[in-house]
């Protein structure tokens, strides 16, 4: 594999002639470069007018490699041929380098150039590019490649000291300016017969120099990188520049900002190929969904403004924008049901876009690179209702989108007042979060966030919110329960144009008198978990779960779908054959549950046997099952509301493997149940014949 290097533009705030005078002082050898043993001129020629000088030199390099490797290779030193073309008239120096040693096994190429800055003729630009291709090296190709890249990177870093050192010598000698070349002054010009060795070509500008803008051909200069992107190693700089060049060549129109490109490189440990693929997928996504215009075009619904409990809040001690989120006070289920996943995702994306903008602003304000932000998450109030399975699934899908398109944007996540249920949520969420991001999570239980080692280590005490014991009145919505009257129906959620997410969590089904709605689920592994969540939007229904070892007769065009699930109620088809006998052909594994109009039902069933499970919803007549001749008031009111023999539900089901369920809160446990109860249920599922939890939640405590 060919290894490549491309430097940023190094800008010296000295005239070209003075830089060249400093440069020739390092030859024929330089004490500042121990590996550069010696050099000799093997050919030299000059143009008739003396304006162009071409010099070829053979350089001897002592590579810091293991003695054993040198013995196997049979060499003590490596030799390189360098060709320098100095043009006094145009004020340019071009250097070409290639290896003489092992040229049939290894190919080394280096190209360097010194030119006048396009916007200031008293400044000098330096650029450097190189490539390394090891075809074979006595079976040590990988080792040789690592040594070569390490040595080259070290020589580039060392080079930044050399030019400044010799420029300082010239100043001490009183030489601060050298006349430019003219035909009449040819004889007075310094003799620039030396060449830049491969080990010392990486000259850099001193770190104290100011930012220089306007590099030629829209190239990145070293000071810009240091000022706006941070301290990068030479090889990291090279990856950034090469990926940026590739984008300029292949992507027409607007390309992402340098900070954004750098985030994708960091997310892939500066692996060029992986970062390029990662970034291209994200750029396609951004273009397809017009994400670049999200902040200008998207208006937050009033519901989000009232019930989304988060806001930007100053900055942390490192200058990073600070976002405060009171997740424990947020009605996640209510927001999903009232707005849908799409609106919540757009809210999260807008926060990320706003965070990027604030990072750029803080970079200017604080005079140093700010590339990520800090999130302070308060979990006070987090309980089992936040573990609502469809809501968790929506959260996981949003995390996937964010991880795929906003890598390395979260600098630190401070989680405070984490309750006992937090490890459950973390078990579900953490697998989708990048390992580098997980290392940035700091969790405080109870009041551990107060005092030394807590928030004050990361946030100024003056801006700690009042609800966390600080004095600052933080302007964040109080949240609360979203009124159920604002919930949208499944038809409304399904009919909206979901651009960023491809499907809706909930489905709808109509249930007619005499024709139940049934779902067939094939279970191949005992102790798998069937979970459900449904709302009765019209009429009353009876919910049952049955098990059968034999597969019911399916209509010809129906087959088992993903996870072995299929639904047939919409076709007025029944899975349980009329000839089947309860207790012989199939069995009831859960007690029948009557569900009234307006109720929300959540539950789970840990399967005891493999086979086929049938979830059934059937029409329920309020008066049919009355044990007394006098019907209840609720039954009378319900019968008046139902104008036909038809019911409607909005449902969601999922099957979880036993390994995924055990020890985590994947089930739809009742909001009144504790974590310890769930743990006991899941960890002893092998002893339980058919454990299940059903929770009925009225309007008053629907969440």
């Amino acid at each position: 594999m060919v290894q490549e290097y491309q430097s940023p533009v190094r800008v010296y705030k000295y005239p070209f002639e003075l830089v060249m005078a400093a440069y020739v002082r390092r030859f024929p050898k330089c004490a500042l470069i121990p590996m550069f043993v010696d050099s000799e001129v093997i050919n030299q020629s000059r143009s008739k007018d003396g304006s162009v000088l071409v010099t070829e030199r053979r350089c001897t390099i002592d590579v810091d490699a293991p003695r054993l490797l040198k013995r196997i290779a049979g060499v003590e030193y490596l030799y390189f041929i360098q060709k320098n073309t100095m043009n006094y008239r145009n004020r340019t120096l071009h250097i070409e380098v290639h290896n003489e040693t092992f040229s049939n096994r290894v190919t080394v190429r280096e190209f360097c150039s010194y030119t006048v800055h396009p916007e200031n003729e008293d400044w000098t630009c330096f650029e450097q590019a190189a490539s390394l291709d090891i075809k074979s090296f006595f079976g040590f190709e990988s080792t040789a490649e690592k040594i070569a890249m390490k040595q080259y990177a070290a020589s580039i870093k060392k080079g930044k000291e050399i030019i400044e050192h010799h420029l300082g010598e010239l100043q001490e000698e009183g030489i601060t300016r050298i006349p430019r070349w003219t035909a009449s002054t040819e004889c007075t010009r310094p003799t620039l017969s030396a060449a830049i060795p491969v080990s010392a070509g990486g000259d850099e500008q001193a770190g104290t120099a100011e930012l220089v803008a306007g590099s030629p051909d829209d190239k990145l200069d070293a000071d810009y990188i240091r000022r706006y992107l941070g301290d990068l190693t030479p090889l990291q700089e090279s990856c950034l520049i090469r990926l940026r060049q590739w984008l300029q060549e292949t992507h027409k129109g607007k390309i992402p900002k340098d900070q954004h490109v750098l985030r994708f490189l960091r997310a892939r440990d500066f692996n060029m190929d992986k970062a390029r693929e990662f970034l291209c997928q994200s750029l396609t996504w951004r273009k397809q969904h017009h994400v670049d215009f999200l902040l200008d075009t998207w208006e937050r619904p009033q519901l989000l403004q009232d019930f989304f409990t988060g806001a930007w809040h100053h900055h942390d001690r490192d200058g990073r924008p600070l976002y405060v989120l009171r997740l424990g006070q947020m009605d996640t289920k209510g927001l999903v049901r009232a707005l849908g996943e799409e609106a919540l995702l757009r809210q999260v994306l807008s926060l990320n876009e706003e965070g990027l903008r604030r990072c750029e602003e803080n970079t200017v304000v604080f005079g140093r690179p700010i590339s990520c932000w800090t999130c302070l998450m308060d979990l006070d109030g987090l309980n089992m209702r936040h573990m609502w399975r469809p809501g968790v699934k929506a959260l996981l899908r949003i995390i996937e989108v964010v991880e795929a398109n906003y890598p390395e944007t979260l600098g630190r996540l401070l989680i405070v007042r984490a309750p006992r249920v937090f490890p459950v949520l973390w078990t579900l969420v953490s697998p989708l979060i990048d390992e580098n991001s997980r290392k940035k999570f700091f969790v405080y239980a109870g009041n551990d966030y107060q005092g030394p080692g807590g928030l004050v280590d990361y946030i100024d005490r003056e801006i700690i919110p009042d609800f966390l014991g600080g004095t600052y009145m933080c302007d964040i919505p109080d949240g609360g329960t979203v009124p159920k009257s604002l919930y949208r129906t499944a038809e409304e959620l399904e009919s909206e144009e979901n651009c960023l997410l491809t499907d809706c969590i909930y489905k709808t089904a109509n249930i007619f008198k005499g024709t139940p709605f049934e779902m067939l689920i094939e279970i191949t592994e005992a102790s798998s978990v069937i979970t459900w969540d449904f709302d009765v939007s019209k009429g009353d229904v009876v919910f049952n779960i049955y098990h059968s070892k034999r597969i019911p007769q399916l209509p010809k065009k129906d087959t088992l779908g993903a996870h072995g699930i299929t639904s047939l109620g919409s076709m007025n088809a029944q899975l349980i054959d009329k000839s089947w006998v309860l207790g012989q052909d199939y069995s009831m594994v859960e007690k029948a549950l009557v569900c009234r109009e307006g109720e929300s039902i959540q539950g789970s069933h840990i399967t005891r046997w493999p086979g086929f499970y049938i979830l059934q919803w059937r029409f329920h007549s309020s008066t049919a099952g009355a044990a007394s001749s006098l019907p209840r008031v609720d039954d009378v009111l319900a019968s008046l509301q139902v104008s036909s023999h038809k019911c409607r539900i909005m449902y969601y089901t999922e099957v979880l493997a036993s390994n995924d369920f055990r020890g985590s809160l994947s089930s739809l446990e009742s909001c009144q149940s504790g974590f310890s109860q769930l743990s006991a249920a899941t960890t002893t599922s092998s002893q339980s014949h058919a454990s299940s939890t059903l929770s009925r939640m009225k309007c008053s405590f629907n969440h």
Side-chain angles (χ1 to χ4, degrees):
M1 179 179 178
V2 179
Q3 297 289 339
E4 297 181 343
Y5 171 78
Q6 174 64 58
S7 76
V9 178
R10 320 288 183 186
V11 180
Y12 295 92
K13 295 181 181 177
Y14 299 94
F16 176 81
E17 290 73 22
L18 194 62
V19 173
M20 292 298 98
Y23 147 71
V24 298
R25 293 197 169 202
R26 55 168 91 177
F27 299 101
K29 57 184 177 180
C30 179
L32 297 176
I33 315 175
M35 65 184 299
F36 184 52
V37 178
D38 199 2
S39 63
E40 61 174 334
V41 176
I42 58 177
N43 189 27
Q44 192 173 66
S45 62
R46 188 184 297 268
S47 64
K48 290 183 179 181
D49 63 357
S51 63
V52 179
L53 176 66
V54 179
T55 303
E56 289 189 52
R57 183 174 295 270
R58 190 171 189 255
C59 301
T60 305
I61 306 297
D62 184 11
V63 178
D64 184 15
R67 176 62 59 179
L68 177 61
L69 186 60
K70 287 186 175 182
R71 288 184 177 180
I72 293 176
V75 297
E76 188 67 26
Y77 301 113
L78 302 180
Y79 298 93
F80 290 83
I81 303 299
Q82 303 179 9
K83 179 182 178 181
N84 295 354
T85 303
M86 169 66 74
N87 191 316
Y88 297 115
R89 187 190 305 277
N90 296 337
R91 304 175 75 195
T92 62
L93 173 62
H94 296 291
I95 307 116
E96 299 178 22
V97 182
H98 68 272
N99 62 307
E100 184 181 66
T101 308
F102 301 125
S103 58
N104 60 331
R105 295 177 178 271
V106 180
T107 301
V108 177
R109 293 286 185 269
E110 184 181 42
F111 305 92
C112 305
S113 65
Y114 288 86
T115 59
V116 177
H117 193 281
E119 296 182 3
N120 191 326
E121 62 180 11
D122 287 330
W123 291 349
T124 304
C125 296
F126 172 77
E127 286 187 83
Q128 179 181 14
S131 64
L132 170 67
D133 183 13
I134 300 181
K135 302 178 182 67
S136 64
F137 200 77
F138 312 103
F140 293 92
E141 291 78 14
S142 178
T143 301
E145 182 178 280
K146 291 179 180 178
I147 292 175
M149 296 305 296
K150 180 180 178 180
Q151 292 285 316
Y152 194 77
S155 69
I156 293 171
K157 294 184 65 176
K158 185 68 175 178
K160 71 188 302 181
E161 306 171 6
I162 298 173
I163 284 290
E164 295 296 333
H165 172 77
H166 291 304
L167 284 170
E169 288 182 340
L170 289 172
Q171 290 177 347
E172 291 176 359
E173 297 170 9
I175 303 175
T176 59
R177 192 168 186 86
I178 297 177
R180 297 183 185 179
W181 179 91
T182 62
S184 60
T185 60
E186 174 186 345
C187 60
T188 64
R189 294 293 305 148
T191 302
L192 303 180
S193 59
I196 299 177
V198 67
S199 61
D203 303 332
E204 295 190 17
Q205 180 185 6
T208 58
E210 299 177 359
L211 174 66
V212 179
S215 299
D217 300 325
D218 191 31
K219 297 178 180 178
L220 295 182
D221 66 62
D223 287 340
Y224 167 83
I225 292 177
R226 188 178 299 109
R227 168 66 177 80
Y228 288 98
L229 304 180
D231 292 325
L232 304 178
T233 68
L235 297 183
Q236 290 174 345
E237 289 177 338
S238 173
C239 288
L240 173 63
I241 293 168
R242 288 188 289 128
L243 181 53
R244 189 174 182 270
Q245 289 176 342
W246 181 83
L247 289 170
Q248 290 173 331
E249 295 170 358
T250 58
H251 282 65
K252 296 181 181 180
K254 182 180 178 181
I255 65 171
K257 296 179 180 179
D258 301 321
Q259 295 89 339
H260 199 58
V261 176
L262 184 58
R263 290 186 182 97
F264 281 82
L265 282 167
R266 282 176 170 153
R268 291 297 180 265
D269 295 325
F270 286 88
N271 183 303
M272 267 283 295
D273 294 334
K274 292 182 179 179
R276 179 168 52 202
E277 180 182 1
F278 189 21
L279 177 58
C280 286
Q281 291 174 351
S282 178
L283 292 179
T284 301
W285 174 84
R286 294 182 70 89
K287 183 177 180 180
Q288 180 181 357
H289 302 298
H290 308 287
V291 178
D292 289 334
F293 310 102
L294 184 62
L295 289 180
D296 298 326
T297 59
W298 188 62
E299 295 184 6
R300 294 176 66 207
Q302 187 62 44
L303 198 64
L304 279 177
Q305 299 181 38
D306 296 337
F307 291 96
F308 194 89
T309 54
W312 291 101
H313 180 67
H314 298 277
H315 56 79
D316 68 5
R317 291 185 179 273
D318 296 322
R320 297 166 173 168
L322 176 63
Y323 190 82
V324 179
L325 179 64
R326 303 189 68 181
L327 184 60
Q329 304 301 314
M330 188 183 302
D331 179 10
T332 52
K333 176 176 180 178
L335 289 175
V336 172
R337 292 292 304 276
L339 295 171
E341 286 184 77
E342 181 82 4
L344 284 180
L345 177 57
R346 288 188 182 276
Q347 166 73 359
V348 174
L349 296 184
S350 68
L351 293 178
N352 279 272
E353 292 293 313
E354 175 69 14
L356 295 177
R357 185 184 65 80
R358 288 174 178 263
C359 285
E360 294 178 10
E361 293 176 351
N362 286 17
T363 295
V364 176
V365 171
F366 293 100
R368 62 177 183 272
I370 305 293
S371 61
C372 52
W373 58 84
T374 295
C375 180
L376 172 59
M377 183 180 295
D378 179 20
L379 298 186
D380 182 50
L382 188 77
N383 54 41
M384 302 300 290
R385 62 184 172 86
H386 290 87
M387 304 299 107
W388 175 60
R389 180 67 187 179
V392 172
K393 185 173 182 180
L395 173 63
L396 298 181
R397 291 168 61 170
I398 290 174
I399 289 176
E400 285 182 326
V401 174
V402 172
E403 282 287 308
N405 298 283
Y406 298 93
E408 297 296 318
T409 53
L410 180 65
R412 185 180 295 122
L413 177 60
L414 304 172
I415 301 175
V416 298
R417 300 200 285 188
R420 290 193 306 165
V421 75
F422 172 73
V424 179
L425 181 61
W426 178 246
T427 299
L428 299 175
V429 172
S430 60
L432 294 179
I433 300 176
D434 179 76
E435 182 179 356
N436 291 332
S437 298
R438 292 200 298 268
K439 295 177 182 178
K440 304 170 185 176
F441 285 37
F442 299 83
V443 182
Y444 300 91
N447 295 322
D448 292 345
Y449 65 91
Q450 299 177 348
L455 293 184
V456 292
D457 286 7
Y458 309 102
I459 303 173
D460 289 336
R461 189 180 300 275
E462 293 75 17
I463 65 169
I464 293 180
D466 57 306
F467 55 83
L468 292 178
T471 59
Y472 197 98
M473 298 298 293
C474 200
D475 186 18
I476 296 179
D478 294 329
T481 301
V482 177
K484 193 171 182 181
S485 60
L486 299 179
Y487 282 13
R488 302 170 67 181
T489 65
E491 290 86 351
E492 290 174 327
L493 293 175
E494 291 175 351
S495 63
E496 73 176 1
E497 184 180 357
N498 282 334
C499 300
L500 299 165
L501 295 170
T502 57
D503 59 347
C504 178
I505 289 180
Y506 285 94
K507 307 298 180 183
T508 58
N510 292 320
I511 304 166
F512 300 93
K513 187 174 183 179
T515 306
F517 174 78
E518 297 176 339
M519 296 188 66
L520 178 64
I521 300 176
E522 182 180 9
I523 298 296
T524 57
E525 178 187 4
S527 298
S528 296
V529 182
I530 303 172
T531 68
W532 57 84
D533 176 78
F534 64 89
D535 287 1
V536 184
S537 56
K538 183 178 181 180
D540 297 343
V541 299
V542 178
F543 178 62
N544 282 294
I545 304 178
Y546 300 99
H547 171 262
S548 175
K549 294 182 180 179
R550 52 191 272 192
I551 183 171
Q553 186 67 32
L554 298 175
K556 293 183 179 179
K557 62 180 181 179
D558 264 333
T559 57
L560 288 174
H563 303 292
I565 299 177
T566 186
S567 60
L568 301 173
S570 59
M571 298 168 42
N572 295 328
Q574 288 186 250
L575 295 170
I576 301 177
D577 192 274
K578 293 182 179 180
S579 63
W580 283 15
V581 178
L582 182 64
Q584 297 181 7
D585 301 293
Y586 69 108
S587 59
M588 181 184 297
V589 295
E590 288 288 349
K591 183 179 179 181
L593 180 69
V594 177
C595 310
R596 304 294 182 181
E597 180 174 329
E599 290 187 341
S600 296
I601 307 299
Q602 301 175 12
S604 61
H605 173 79
I606 303 177
T607 62
R608 182 185 179 188
W609 314 280
F612 300 92
Y613 288 78
I614 301 171
L615 274 58
Q616 182 193 78
W617 293 264
R618 56 184 172 84
F619 182 90
H620 174 67
S621 175
S622 300
T623 58
S628 171
S629 58
L630 296 176
R632 296 183 298 117
V633 174
D634 289 346
D635 294 337
V636 174
L637 293 176
S639 64
L640 293 176
Q641 294 173 355
V642 180
S643 58
S644 65
H645 300 296
K646 174 182 175 181
C647 300
R648 179 177 298 163
I649 62 171
M650 185 167 65
Y651 68 94
Y652 164 86
T653 61
E654 185 176 2
V655 177
L656 306 173
S658 58
N659 291 336
D660 296 335
F661 180 79
R662 190 182 304 274
S664 71
L665 192 64
S666 298
S667 73
L668 300 174
E669 187 75 4
S670 167
C671 64
Q672 299 176 345
S673 300
F675 174 71
S676 59
Q677 292 175 310
L678 176 65
S679 243
T682 56
T683 55
T684 60
S685 59
S686 60
Q687 303 173 1
S688 172
H689 294 270
S691 66
S692 171
T693 302
L694 287 169
S695 64
R696 175 184 302 168
M697 290 172 284
K698 304 287 187 181
C699 296
S700 59
F701 58 101
N702 188 38
H703 307 282

